[in-house]
Amino acid sequence: MTSVLRLLLLLLLSLSLLHHSLSATANNYIHKKTHFRPELISDLSTKTHPTTFFEVTKPIQLPKTKPCSYLLLQHDFGYTYGSPPVLANYTPPSNCPSQNFAKIVLQWEATCKGTQFDRIFGVWLGGVELLRSCTAEPTASGIVWTVKKDITRYYSLLMNNQTLAVFLGNLVNDVYTGVYHAKITIHFYPAEVNSGNSVSGYGSSADLIIPISQNIPSNDGLWFRIGNSADTTSKKFMIPQNAYRAVVEVYVSFHENDEFWYTNLPNNFITANNLSMPLQNGAFREVVVALDGMEIGAVWPFTVIYTGGFNPLLWRPITGIGSFDLPSYDIEVTPFLGTILDGKTHEFAFRVTNALNVWLIDANLHVWLDKESVKTEGQLLKHSVLPAVVSLVSNFTGINGNFLTTVNKSVSSVGWVKSSHGKIATNAIQLFDFSNFMVLGKDGDLQIVNQIINFNDSVDAKSSSSFFSTKSSKRFPLYLYLEDVDNGNGTFSMVTNLTLGYNEQGVKDGGSGFSVSSLKNLQNGQSVLLRKGKSIVAGSWSTQQAYQYGDGKFCYFRNVSSSNSAILHDEEGKTCRK
C-alpha cells in the first residue's frame, strides 16, 4: 500500500472498527470506500458482562412532581436497512392528574450484543424531528445505553394525536450480528405552579410546529439527503396568517465521504500530485438555509465524532460529545414573516457548501400565533448576507506540507411584525469564523488538524413597551493527530490523539428576566494500536472529559476518565466552579 493510500486509510478512520471491517460512516448506508480499508479483526475487550455507555451532559432540571410515563415504542432493529421507518400511533396523555406540564422528557433505551457498525437514527413525531442520535457500537459481552432529551419546546405538538416514526437502518448477516433492542418512553412532569408564558412568545414554546422533512412513507429516514455541493433540497409549507414569531430549527449530520470533512484535502493538492482519487473539496463546510430562494441564515456544524470515529475504543464507555444527542441549530425567521403572511405556500431549501455524499438535513418550523387576532402584518426592513470568504494558503512539496483555510461570514436581518402584542421590531444577526490548519508529513503517514469554529448569533426584539434579547457565542475547537508507523517487521502502529470541545456562552434579557449561562465541554483521547495483517494484536487507549455548566440558578460539573474501556475516575457535583 502506498503512503498516500495509508494516509487515506488514516483520514477515513484510522481504525473505525477494530473487531470488523473499518467504516468511514455512522449511518446505515453501504460503505463506499472499502478499497481503502483492510478488515482488521479483533476485540480487545475482556469484559464478560454488558457495559453501560454514556454521553456526558448536564442532568435535566425536573420539577418535584411525579411524572406520567408512557412507553411509545419497543422494537428490535435488525434487518431494517432500506426499510421504511417503524411507525406507532401517539396520543397525548389522558390519565395525568394535571394537563399542565412543566417538563417533557423523551427517553431512548437500547441494548445490543455482537458486532455492528455505528448507525445514525432519528425519531420524528408528526414529521417533526425530536431526536437525532448515533447508536453505540456493541461488544461480544453486550452494551446498554440511555439517552434522555428535554423535548418541552415541542409542547404544542405533543398535545395532539400524531404518528411516531423511528428510522434506524441496520444490516445483520454472518459478520454484523448486532441487533439494537430499543424502547422509547416519554415522561410528562406536571407543573408545580402554573407559571404561564413569557411576554411576546420569547422564552415560551411555540403554538405550532411545522415539519420541514420528507413525507411518510420513505425507505429511509424523514431527512433529506444532500450528495454534493450542487444539490439543493426543499420543502413547501404554509403558515397561519396570525403568526407573530417564527424560528426554524435545523438538524444536520454528515456521513460517508464527508463524515470527517474537516480532514478533507484541498483540491489543488490532489491535482498537483496527480493522485488517483476523487476531489475532496477541502476542509470547510456550511449548511445554507434559504426561504423562497433567499438565504436567511447558515449552520456551521459542530464536528460530532460518532461512536466508530477514528478509533471506536476511545468511545467506550464515554461517547463523543453530541454523538448520542446531536445538536440542532435555530435560525430566527421573524424578520421575514412579512413576506410569508399571505396565506400562500412558501419554500425552505437547504444546500451544503463543498458537500460530498452524504449529508442528512431536515428542519422544524416553530411558529407563535396571536390568539387575539386572525391576521398579523409585517415587513422585512433590511437583510444583508456577507457571503463566506474562503482563504486557502498551501505550502507543500510532493505529499508533505501544510494548508491553512480561513473563512468568515455574517448574516443580518431586521423586520417588524404588528400583532396584539404591539409592533415588535426584530434584529437577528449571525457571525461566523473558521480556521483549519492541516499538516501532512512523513510521506503521507502523518496528518495533523487544528481547527476552530466560532458560531455566534443574537436576536433583539423591541416594542414600545417590551424588550427581549438573546445572544449565543459558540466555540468548537478540534485537534487531531493521526499517524501510521511502519515498524518494519510486518506490523504497523496506529497512533491517534484528539481534543474535541463544545463551548457556549449565552445571555438572555427580558421576558422572564436577565440570565447568563456558560458551558465548557472538553474531551481528550489517546490511543496506540498495533496491527499485523488484518488483526489487532495489542493496544492501549484512554479518554478524559471535563464538563462544566452554570446559569446562575443551576450548576453542574463532571470530570471523568477511562483507560482501556474501564472508568478510572468519575467525579460530579452541582456546584459552580471557577
Side-chain angles (χ1 to χ4, degrees):
M1 179 182 289
T2 68
S3 59
V4 173
L5 291 186
R6 287 204 304 271
L7 169 64
L8 287 175
L9 172 62
L10 217 52
L11 294 178
L12 294 174
L13 212 73
S14 203
L15 262 185
S16 180
L17 291 172
L18 299 177
H19 52 283
H20 50 76
S21 297
L22 292 179
S23 163
T25 179
N27 62 28
N28 57 293
Y29 301 106
I30 298 297
H31 309 294
K32 297 181 180 295
K33 291 184 177 179
T34 53
H35 56 287
F36 292 134
R37 271 186 228 101
E39 292 190 356
L40 302 178
I41 301 172
S42 179
D43 188 347
L44 300 182
S45 173
T46 58
K47 293 190 175 183
T48 58
H49 57 278
T51 302
T52 299
F53 286 35
F54 59 92
E55 179 184 342
V56 175
T57 186
K58 68 180 184 294
I60 299 171
Q61 290 296 99
L62 301 173
K64 296 179 181 179
T65 55
K66 182 180 179 181
C68 301
S69 300
Y70 298 91
L71 177 64
L72 299 185
L73 180 71
Q74 184 167 349
H75 190 79
D76 298 334
F77 292 90
Y79 304 89
T80 53
Y81 175 80
S83 299
V86 177
L87 305 179
N89 292 325
Y90 168 84
T91 57
S94 57
N95 298 324
C96 285
S98 169
Q99 292 298 303
N100 179 29
F101 303 109
K103 194 73 67 173
I104 305 174
V105 177
L106 176 74
Q107 178 172 305
W108 163 279
E109 300 173 272
T111 65
C112 191
K113 185 176 183 179
T115 299
Q116 195 51 263
F117 287 113
D118 46 358
R119 306 289 184 180
I120 201 74
F121 69 91
V123 178
W124 294 264
L125 190 63
V128 171
E129 186 161 14
L130 303 182
L131 172 69
R132 188 171 304 190
S133 183
C134 174
T135 63
E137 289 201 347
T139 64
S141 57
I143 60 168
V144 298
W145 82 98
T146 300
V147 181
K148 293 182 179 180
K149 181 174 181 179
D150 183 350
I151 58 170
T152 312
R153 73 178 301 188
Y154 307 101
Y155 196 112
S156 60
L157 178 78
L158 292 158
M159 294 302 106
N160 296 284
N161 293 344
Q162 307 285 354
T163 298
L164 178 78
V166 182
F167 180 78
L168 194 169
N170 196 15
L171 183 66
V172 176
N173 54 32
D174 292 341
V175 178
Y176 310 116
T177 58
V179 174
Y180 290 103
H181 309 282
K183 293 194 299 184
I184 297 177
T185 305
I186 295 187
H187 306 284
F188 295 85
Y189 290 84
E192 297 176 78
V193 178
N194 186 2
S195 57
N197 288 337
S198 301
V199 176
S200 301
Y202 291 87
S204 67
S205 59
D207 300 297
L208 174 67
I209 306 175
I210 300 172
I212 311 297
S213 60
Q214 296 235 58
N215 296 325
I216 300 172
S218 169
N219 289 339
D220 201 339
L222 276 63
W223 39 54
F224 301 107
R225 297 183 63 190
I226 291 181
N228 56 63
S229 58
D231 252 357
T232 298
T233 186
S234 63
K235 178 73 175 289
K236 294 185 182 297
F237 69 96
M238 181 186 297
I239 66 169
Q241 291 183 270
N242 63 335
Y244 68 92
R245 189 190 180 201
V247 173
V248 64
E249 176 194 17
V250 183
Y251 278 86
V252 175
S253 58
F254 29 85
H255 310 279
E256 295 186 31
N257 297 337
D258 254 2
E259 181 178 348
F260 308 106
W261 49 267
Y262 41 87
T263 68
N264 282 7
L265 302 172
N267 291 343
N268 66 333
F269 169 82
I270 296 172
T271 56
N273 284 285
N274 295 316
L275 300 180
S276 57
M277 57 185 292
L279 297 179
Q280 297 186 357
N281 294 345
F284 170 69
R285 301 291 185 271
E286 71 165 343
V287 179
V288 176
V289 181
L291 174 61
D292 292 337
M294 175 173 57
E295 179 179 346
I296 64 167
V299 173
W300 289 18
F302 173 65
T303 50
V304 178
I305 299 176
Y306 308 122
T307 57
F310 298 109
N311 176 358
L313 295 179
L314 290 173
W315 316 119
R316 300 177 181 175
I318 308 169
T319 191
I321 297 173
S323 60
F324 280 175
D325 183 6
L326 273 70
S328 62
Y329 307 87
D330 288 351
I331 298 175
E332 191 76 26
V333 182
T334 309
F336 304 92
L337 272 182
T339 66
I340 58 176
L341 285 170
D342 54 8
K344 299 179 181 179
T345 59
H346 296 270
E347 186 176 53
F348 273 114
F350 309 93
R351 63 178 176 85
V352 181
T353 303
N354 297 329
L356 302 178
N357 194 47
V358 61
W359 288 66
L360 305 179
I361 299 174
D362 62 19
N364 306 321
L365 180 59
H366 298 249
V367 182
W368 286 257
L369 303 177
D370 185 359
K371 299 177 178 61
E372 303 299 321
S373 67
V374 295
K375 184 170 174 53
T376 57
E377 58 179 313
Q379 183 180 0
L380 176 65
L381 299 177
K382 183 180 178 181
H383 179 57
S384 173
V385 178
L386 297 180
V389 178
V390 181
S391 171
L392 172 63
V393 178
S394 302
N395 180 18
F396 60 90
T397 301
I399 56 176
N400 295 312
N402 56 70
F403 313 90
L404 175 62
T405 304
T406 58
V407 192
N408 56 71
K409 177 176 182 169
S410 67
V411 182
S412 62
S413 311
V414 182
W416 60 262
V417 176
K418 187 177 181 181
S419 69
S420 65
H421 300 287
K423 185 177 181 179
I424 300 176
T426 301
N427 183 10
I429 300 175
Q430 288 187 310
L431 300 174
F432 303 92
D433 184 76
F434 173 92
S435 174
N436 179 294
F437 184 66
M438 185 184 304
V439 176
L440 300 179
K442 297 187 176 180
D443 294 328
D445 288 337
L446 170 69
Q447 183 185 31
I448 301 172
V449 174
N450 201 334
Q451 177 176 286
I452 293 178
I453 299 174
N454 291 306
F455 182 176
N456 305 320
D457 56 73
S458 65
V459 177
D460 294 317
K462 301 178 182 179
S463 72
S464 59
S465 60
S466 63
F467 171 78
F468 177 85
S469 175
T470 179
K471 293 178 172 61
S472 172
S473 299
K474 301 180 181 69
R475 186 174 179 86
F476 307 148
L478 170 72
Y479 172 81
L480 184 62
Y481 179 101
L482 302 170
E483 185 178 6
D484 196 22
V485 180
D486 187 347
N487 298 323
N489 57 358
T491 65
F492 291 84
S493 297
M494 306 183 75
V495 181
T496 305
N497 294 314
L498 66 86
T499 298
L500 181 65
Y502 189 114
N503 303 317
E504 182 174 8
Q505 303 289 325
V507 178
K508 289 185 179 180
D509 188 9
S512 58
F514 182 84
S515 64
V516 178
S517 63
S518 174
L519 170 64
K520 297 178 181 178
N521 193 3
L522 188 68
Q523 282 184 319
N524 290 287
Q526 311 83 29
S527 70
V528 179
L529 298 169
L530 186 68
R531 69 175 175 89
K532 185 173 184 179
K534 296 182 179 181
S535 297
I536 300 300
V537 295
S540 64
W541 55 95
S542 59
T543 303
Q544 308 85 40
Q545 185 163 358
Y547 183 101
Q548 183 175 331
Y549 174 84
D551 61 13
K553 296 181 180 179
F554 172 70
C555 293
Y556 177 78
F557 75 89
R558 186 173 184 180
N559 294 328
V560 59
S561 62
S562 65
S563 177
N564 297 348
S565 299
I567 295 294
L568 296 182
H569 174 80
D570 193 356
E571 177 189 13
E572 66 176 336
K574 294 184 178 180
T575 58
C576 291
R577 290 188 165 188
K578 295 183 179 180

